[in-house]
Amino acid sequence: MIRAEFKGYSLRTLKMDLLAGITVAAVALPLALAFGVSNGVDAAAGMITAIIAGGVIGSLSGSFYQISGPTGAMGAILISIVATKGFAGVMLATFLAGVFLLLAGILKIGSITSLIPAPVITGFTSGIAIIIALGQLDNFFGVHSEGHNLIEKLQSYQQFGFSPNAATTLLGLCVIIGMIVFPKKWNQKIPASLVMIILATILTVLLKLPIATVGKIPTTLISDNRLFFSDLQLSGLKDVIIPAISIAMLGMIESLLCGASAGRMTGKELDSNQELIAQGIGNIILPFFGGVPATAAIARTSVAIKSGAQTRLTGIFHAVFLLLSMMVFAPIMSNIPMSALAGVLIVTAWRMNEWEIIQEFCKKRFYPALIKFFVTMIATVIFDLSLAIILGVAASCLIFLAKSSQISINVEEIDWERMSMAPVEHTKDWVVVYLSGPLFFMSSGKLKRSLDDLKDKEGIILSMRGVSSIDTTALTILSDCYAQRKKTGQELHFSSMQPEVKEMIKTMHIDPEVSYHFSVADALRELY
């Protein structure tokens, strides 16, 4: 794959990768700082994650276009870990999640995300967006909260009070408005988020505003607050196994969905299993530098593609430029106001929502999709990602079963004209029951009631061409029905069956005298 990627590589291609890397770095810089903060740690951890992930994961990725780094979605999980286990817990969970991702890639289960319904994915994306936005209330308003999750943090305002700092709130609001009105043409050359953060920082320094800032940013890739091999104790790993699974699941979903989206843009398919191996190795390494979990990032990946990225060197160049930025501009970045980063995150959270898809669900009244969407979104906010996906998939299964149970049963008099046959006098009190849909335990009750309503008829022909499958519950009902009809003298015949359904009915041994016919017309011809 890599050999084919670099086949015919030239100075022109190198220039394109270099320029694309610079562009992606400009987009990634403010996001790395902001997502470091939103993940419950600090801006420095976000920068370290973006640099290491960009270089390591980018080098091993399942395709050239994937750009990895910290993402806002992880904040939904990491904030809870920080509150209960501290930063050390985050490091252990990241390492363990990396192991899970590596195993997933080796075991080739990269296609597992295709089993998750699209409305469920849209739902947890919106749920994560809500968590990111509401999680920035402290930084945006300059207030204080405590708690292990979003609900507890919001409730803590009753205890600590909610008294916004005017300067902090106004600056954050200016950043939001600035990002919204920033011309799209300019945004293609320089990200609005970067411009707003630069302006907010200049304003804070010049006016000496009394607001919280990012603080000291180290000029080294190896943070003092990192994971050591001596920390890898079995007892500690056991404590974080559940959040580690959540991180791994989110990393898998985000990375593979990013690859699927980017693959459509480039026409080159992602090697999903190789991508999971890359994500696994990257997340195993990151804690030893002081980084937080990384995944492929859709925003940065799309910027790379649109900027003309040709090979995976784009991701590596983007990491190098981020490293140079940290080394050179660390003293300046330490003055970035937290409310400015909060403003960037709130706008990013809003844009994370798949509004076109949500609007289509509402406009076309796709009620099953809306149920899956809201169940997953609410569960993501109240509980966690893992449970949200389980509940979303469970809701999808229940909806599918409910829809599958809607078998069509049409009872009609024999239409002799349509069959091009002369009417037979002693079959005038016969009916044809046309069945369509799967016959299983959820639709069996409707079938039984329909047949019971036809007890007074002399004969019944079941036309089952539309029955795709049948289970033992439905077979039992048909067997009992046939036995009862035989006692009362009513004739019951089967016609137009799919081979699999016919074989199932024969296996059930309903009665050796049962008649099976190719069609309703054949049944009438053979009988009379």
Side-chain angles (χ1 to χ4, degrees), residues 180-207:
I180 292 172
V181 301
F182 196 80
K184 288 185 179 180
K185 290 183 179 180
W186 296 1
N187 200 53
Q188 293 174 357
K189 297 180 180 179
I190 182 168
S193 56
L194 183 60
V195 173
M196 291 303 113
I197 284 178
I198 291 172
L199 292 176
T201 304
I202 292 172
L203 196 63
T204 301
V205 173
L206 289 179
L207 299 180

Side-chain angles (χ1 to χ4, degrees), residues 114-424:
S114 63
L115 302 177
I116 303 175
V120 172
I121 294 171
T122 303
F124 85 69
T125 301
S126 294
I128 288 168
I130 292 171
I131 292 173
I132 292 172
L134 294 182
Q136 291 306 303
L137 292 181
D138 284 5
N139 292 330
F140 186 81
F141 291 106
V143 295
H144 175 70
S145 66
E146 290 182 0
H148 296 165
N149 55 49
L150 179 60
I151 304 299
E152 290 180 5
K153 283 180 173 291
L154 294 176
Q155 289 175 341
S156 71
Y157 288 129
Q158 294 179 348
Q159 177 185 350
F160 297 107
F162 190 83
S163 302
N165 179 290
T168 301
T169 306
L170 185 60
L171 190 64
L173 191 60
C174 287
V175 169
I176 291 176
I177 295 171
M179 288 187 67
I180 292 172
V181 301
F182 196 80
K184 288 185 179 180
K185 290 183 179 180
W186 296 1
N187 200 53
Q188 293 174 357
K189 297 180 180 179
I190 182 168
S193 56
L194 183 60
V195 173
M196 291 303 113
I197 284 178
I198 291 172
L199 292 176
T201 304
I202 292 172
L203 196 63
T204 301
V205 173
L206 289 179
L207 299 180
K208 297 181 179 179
L209 297 176
I211 59 179
T213 58
V214 168
K216 185 181 178 181
I217 292 180
T219 55
T220 175
L221 269 182
I222 304 177
S223 172
D224 293 334
N225 197 6
R226 65 184 187 276
L227 183 69
F228 296 90
F229 284 105
S230 58
D231 297 326
L232 298 176
Q233 302 293 328
L234 187 60
S235 58
L237 292 173
K238 283 182 178 178
D239 288 341
V240 296
I241 191 167
I242 300 301
I245 291 172
S246 296
I247 291 171
M249 285 182 63
L250 179 56
M252 182 187 300
I253 293 166
E254 269 207 291
S255 297
L256 298 186
L257 287 179
C258 175
S261 175
R264 288 192 293 269
M265 293 173 67
T266 61
K268 296 184 179 180
E269 189 175 350
L270 175 77
D271 184 339
S272 58
N273 294 310
Q274 177 59 37
E275 180 64 24
L276 292 184
I277 290 173
Q279 294 293 335
I281 293 172
N283 281 284
I284 288 173
I285 293 172
L286 272 167
F288 295 102
F289 288 85
V292 292
T295 71
I298 294 175
R300 277 157 273 181
T301 297
S302 62
V303 168
I305 294 170
K306 292 175 183 176
S307 300
Q310 298 297 304
T311 69
R312 63 192 63 232
L313 284 179
T314 294
I316 297 172
F317 286 143
H318 126 273
V320 171
F321 287 123
L322 285 177
L323 177 60
L324 292 174
S325 298
M326 187 174 73
M327 298 294 186
V328 176
F329 300 115
I332 298 173
M333 288 192 290
S334 65
N335 293 310
I336 294 174
M338 297 292 285
S339 60
L341 293 179
V344 170
L345 285 168
I346 289 170
V347 174
T348 302
W350 174 265
R351 291 173 177 172
M352 274 179 64
N353 287 282
E354 298 172 327
W355 292 113
E356 290 184 7
I357 296 175
I358 296 170
Q359 186 179 16
E360 185 178 11
F361 289 164
C362 296
K363 188 176 180 180
K364 296 184 178 179
R365 298 181 181 180
F366 293 153
Y367 295 119
L370 285 171
I371 292 171
K372 300 172 198 175
F373 169 78
F374 281 113
V375 165
T376 310
M377 182 183 72
I378 294 169
T380 301
V381 174
I382 296 177
F383 305 114
D384 58 50
L385 174 71
S386 302
L387 184 56
I389 291 178
I390 291 170
L391 290 175
V393 172
S396 302
C397 293
L398 289 174
I399 291 170
F400 174 77
L401 285 174
K403 290 184 70 176
S404 298
S405 67
Q406 297 174 1
I407 187 171
S408 172
I409 301 177
N410 294 317
V411 180
E412 298 181 8
E413 300 291 334
I414 298 175
D415 190 341
W416 297 102
E417 185 177 346
R418 187 176 66 185
M419 296 182 190
S420 302
M421 295 176 64
V424 178

